[in-house]
Amino acid sequence: MKSLTTVNDLRALRREWSKQGKVVGFVPTMGNLHDGHLQLVHAAKAKCDEVVVSIFVNPLQFGKNEDLDNYPRTLDADKAKLEAAGVAAVFLPSVAEMYPRGLEQQTFVQVPGISDILCGASRPGHFRGVATIVCKLFNMVAPDIAFFGEKDFQQLQVIRLMAKDLSMNLEIIGVPTEREASGLAMSSRNGYLTDAERELAPQLYKLISEMKASVLAGNNDYAALTEAFVGKINHAGFKTDYLAVKNATDLSDADAETESLVILVAAYLGTTRLIDNLYFSV
Ligand code: AMP
């Protein structure tokens, strides 16, 4: 596996692959890799001749009081996992390589509307940072197919809209959320949880699964249902940031007529913010 730190080296490798007619897959990450990330790699390996994974903790998508400085960095272990998974190249740019003119001067990509609700409302500027870095990485890697987790359901929608609006010449594939046996969605941020919080954490998935069951049983008063489950989630020991039933196709508000639904939740356990979602049809 090649470890590349500069855009020039990455482009040189990409040119070789283009000459050889290779289909190139791309998996962007912030590192601290777990089995969820590896599912994306496996999906990429299954569809592509060569797979590039980037590891870059993107300062542009973190708010002022967020966990940028403490974000877990486990580069050696990450590289070993990627090598074992058959990744051709890992791209490890510095902040200066990605933002040579500095963060303040950086041109942004902003996907309107969808970037301002749910996680975007709680984390102003987050999706602008995500769209900008993903756009830049797409321009560097020039992948044929890029892979994103459904764990970050709203992020996946933001990326899909960006690619469509900016006529990007690639396919975006969403990969199902990888969970622990308890149901807890795998996340690098799970490492922040204390032992006691880790015991509690799977309740979040259990409660949104209960909510889904209630919808499937015919409950379509989503306002009342959401209010009831915010109470349950808080009672279980979380502090709910948001809980919403949305139209899974565009994240508009769902009503009784909506067939394709997604339940999205963000909740704090102590200081750790966990997100999860479930999508389904009625
Ligand atoms: P991150 O390193 O958190 O930025 O995540 C990199 C990619 O991995 C994103 O596309 C995430 O949606 C995806 N991902 C993170 N956790 C999971 C999971 N539990 N299952 C599937 N994909 C995931």
Side-chain angles (χ1 to χ4, degrees):
M1 182 177 73
K2 291 195 162 61
S3 281
L4 308 171
T5 55
T6 67
V7 181
N8 276 346
D9 287 351
L10 179 63
R11 290 211 167 112
L13 180 63
R14 183 64 179 96
R15 275 195 297 276
E16 285 309 307
W17 287 340
S18 292
K19 279 186 209 151
Q20 296 162 13
K22 298 258 175 88
V23 173
V24 175
F26 177 45
V27 178
T29 81
M30 298 202 299
N32 191 234
L33 303 179
H34 50 65
D35 283 351
H37 296 111
L38 294 180
Q39 287 308 314
L40 306 192
V41 173
H42 296 325
K45 286 284 294 175
K47 288 214 163 237
C48 306
D49 300 316
E50 305 286 0
V51 175
V52 179
V53 174
S54 63
I55 298 179
F56 181 65
V57 182
N58 174 31
L60 209 58
Q61 71 190 68
F62 285 77
K64 270 204 185 72
N65 299 315
E66 294 185 353
D67 54 345
L68 173 64
D69 293 338
N70 300 328
Y71 198 84
R73 288 157 169 95
T74 51
L75 192 53
D76 291 343
D78 291 353
K79 280 195 197 171
K81 287 176 188 176
L82 296 177
E83 175 119 53
V87 167
V90 59
F91 181 47
L92 306 159
S94 64
V95 172
E97 184 73 10
M98 292 308 283
Y99 299 112
R101 295 201 304 129
L103 294 177
E104 298 303 318
Q105 299 299 317
Q106 177 61 42
T107 300
F108 291 120
V109 179
Q110 169 89 27
V111 182
I114 193 169
S115 296
D116 300 326
I117 58 171
L118 303 167
C119 281
S122 310
R123 305 182 67 189
H126 171 66
F127 287 117
R128 188 176 70 171
V130 168
T132 301
I133 194 68
V134 171
C135 176
K136 284 170 67 70
L137 288 165
F138 283 178
N139 285 335
M140 293 169 181
V141 179
D144 298 291
I145 316 179
F147 297 80
F148 292 84
E150 291 173 353
K151 155 88 185 344
D152 299 277
F153 195 89
Q154 187 179 6
Q155 170 175 280
L156 175 56
Q157 304 272 29
V158 167
I159 303 297
R160 283 192 195 285
L161 286 177
M162 172 186 77
K164 193 172 179 194
D165 285 355
L166 299 181
S167 311
M168 292 179 168
N169 188 21
L170 82 172
E171 185 186 351
I172 309 284
I173 292 187
V175 177
T177 302
E178 184 73 7
R179 299 180 180 280
E180 298 189 354
S182 64
L184 175 65
M186 290 188 182
S187 166
S188 302
R189 291 192 167 97
N190 292 350
Y192 296 147
L193 300 172
T194 64
D195 288 349
E197 288 166 351
R198 229 168 197 284
E199 289 276 298
L200 259 178
Q203 289 301 318
L204 195 60
Y205 176 64
K206 290 215 174 71
L207 286 165
I208 61 168
S209 300
E210 242 180 63
M211 198 169 160
K212 171 183 164 184
S214 176
V215 174
L216 289 176
N219 187 343
N220 59 16
D221 182 349
Y222 299 138
L225 190 66
T226 301
E227 196 183 321
F229 273 84
V230 166
K232 287 183 193 221
I233 291 167
N234 291 343
H235 188 252
F238 299 82
K239 187 169 167 287
T240 305
D241 178 11
Y242 65 74
L243 175 69
V245 183
K246 295 278 188 177
N247 184 324
T249 55
D250 58 7
L251 294 187
S252 61
D253 289 339
D255 59 30
E257 310 299 313
T258 313
E259 289 174 2
S260 179
L261 295 171
V262 57
I263 297 170
L264 301 120
V265 68
Y268 286 91
L269 249 189
T271 54
T272 305
R273 186 171 177 278
L274 301 177
I275 61 170
D276 204 347
N277 67 81
L278 276 175
Y279 66 93
F280 53 97
S281 297
V282 289

